[in-house]
Amino acid sequence: MAMRGWPLIKLLPQKTNLHFVKHARAAGILSVVLCVASIVACFYPGLNMGIDFRGGASMEVSKPAGQTIELDQVRSAVGELGLGDVQVQGIARRDTNADDGSTAILRFQVPEGQDQTAVVRQVEGAVTKAVGDVSYSGVSVVGSKVSGELFTSGLLALGVAIALMFLYIWFRFEPQFGFGAVIGLLHDVILTFGLIVLFKLEFSLNMVAAVLTVIGYSMNDTVVVFDRLRENLRKYKTMPLREVIDLSLNETLSRTIITGVTAVMVLGALAVFGGEALFGFSIALMFGIIIGTYSSIYVGAPVILLWGVKRGQVAEDAKPIKLGPASRP
């Protein structure tokens, strides 16, 4: 009853008859071109690595209890030094274990060839000038070896996530469904990396988390479409596969639009009000949700059309299991 009263729901047609498969060839060519361009861009000019993957220095900045450190002022002051990625995050005080805004962690990059001690002193001077007298402690430098290991671990996490999603689809559906889902996942991940390179977003652990979230959302949307497709394959056994795919996509279209628009609205607010630290994360997620919806329609489903589906096997899977005399209650 609540959904009937929501005026925006009424703007969506209850039933659509769009011919998605008709444009699958053009969409497939576009996707291949964009994926190839994204892969090339990841190597040239390459990802804009953040502190997590490039290495840098970190320090704790604090004021007396009760006095607040303006994080934006610290970030701007250090950013004007041209040191690359700058991260500032408020933390709890060590003595009271309370987050009163008087303590923060500052991370910044140390350019190659420059003396680390001199760069740290330069940063301390800029912060002091911007926010007044503060104390510095816990200065540490992350070397290139550690950051390289973090980068390898991040890529490994992405690979394992895709492999596990593939296994899930493989066991839940037929092999062709699993293949279509994995192609869609790879499509979404590759294009998300292309967006990161295109807009020169900082690629850090936060961005790895964004890509992992994109994988989860894309898989969720794909499973919804594939579930409906499998139901319709059992229901319309003589209908051409092309028409069954169009029917399934139209039946799930309103759900896809509502879910996607809701998520994009929340992420849009996060991008505007979340500050610089969450801007790249939000943009990557918004793009991933949009491209994940696109891939469910124009990548995953058309792959099934090219592969084909064994109607007999789908119908056989739909049959209920017959209980023997010993199994009946």
Side-chain angles (χ1 to χ4, degrees), residues 185-314:
L185 281 179
L186 292 175
H187 171 271
D188 298 343
V189 171
I190 291 173
L191 290 190
T192 302
F193 273 97
L195 177 84
I196 294 172
V197 176
L198 178 63
F199 289 97
K200 298 181 179 180
L201 302 176
E202 296 286 348
F203 186 71
S204 60
L205 290 176
N206 285 342
M207 200 61 72
V208 172
V211 177
L212 288 172
T213 307
V214 168
I215 291 175
Y217 182 90
S218 176
M219 180 55 62
N220 176 71
D221 200 43
T222 301
V223 167
V224 171
V225 174
F226 283 3
D227 266 333
R228 182 58 58 88
L229 176 58
R230 186 171 61 174
E231 293 174 3
N232 287 335
L233 285 172
R234 296 167 179 172
K235 186 177 181 181
Y236 306 101
K237 299 179 182 179
T238 59
M239 181 182 292
L241 181 58
R242 177 185 296 266
E243 296 181 11
V244 177
I245 293 177
D246 274 339
L247 175 63
S248 303
L249 293 174
N250 279 284
E251 289 179 347
T252 58
L253 184 61
S254 60
R255 177 263 176 201
T256 300
I257 293 176
I258 292 173
T259 305
V261 170
T262 302
V264 169
M265 289 172 60
V266 173
L267 291 171
L270 186 63
V272 174
F273 301 107
E276 184 180 351
L278 295 176
F279 179 79
F281 176 84
S282 305
I283 294 298
L285 272 182
M286 282 193 290
F287 177 80
I289 288 174
I290 296 173
I291 207 65
T293 302
Y294 165 85
S295 68
S296 298
I297 297 175
Y298 282 117
V299 178
V303 167
I304 296 177
L305 179 63
L306 294 175
W307 189 315
V309 175
K310 297 180 181 179
R311 296 295 185 91
Q313 182 64 38
V314 174

Side-chain angles (χ1 to χ4, degrees), residues 3 16 33 42 47 57 80 91 96 118 123 139 147 152 161 167 171 192 205 208-209 230-231 239 254 256 291 328:
M3 292 185 62
T16 58
V33 172
C42 287
L47 294 168
E80 293 176 356
I91 61 173
T96 61
V123 169
V139 179
S147 59
T152 303
L167 291 177
F171 285 107
T192 302
L205 290 176
V208 172
R230 186 171 61 174
E231 293 174 3
M239 181 182 292
S254 60
T256 300
I291 207 65
R328 294 174 181 170

Side-chain angles (χ1 to χ4, degrees), residues 50-57 110 112 116 141-152:
I51 296 175
D52 298 325
F53 300 140
R54 182 180 292 178
V110 178
E112 296 183 4
Q116 297 177 353
V141 178
V142 179
S144 58
K145 181 179 179 180
V146 175
S147 59
E149 292 176 354
L150 288 175
F151 180 71
T152 303

Side-chain angles (χ1 to χ4, degrees), residues 69-104:
I69 294 179
E70 297 296 336
L71 302 183
D72 290 338
Q73 294 182 8
V74 175
R75 186 180 296 109
S76 300
V78 180
E80 293 176 356
L81 299 178
L83 300 178
D85 183 24
V86 178
Q87 299 176 6
V88 186
Q89 181 180 2
I91 61 173
R93 293 183 61 88
R94 296 179 182 272
D95 51 358
T96 61
N97 199 27
D99 186 2
D100 59 356
S102 63
T103 308

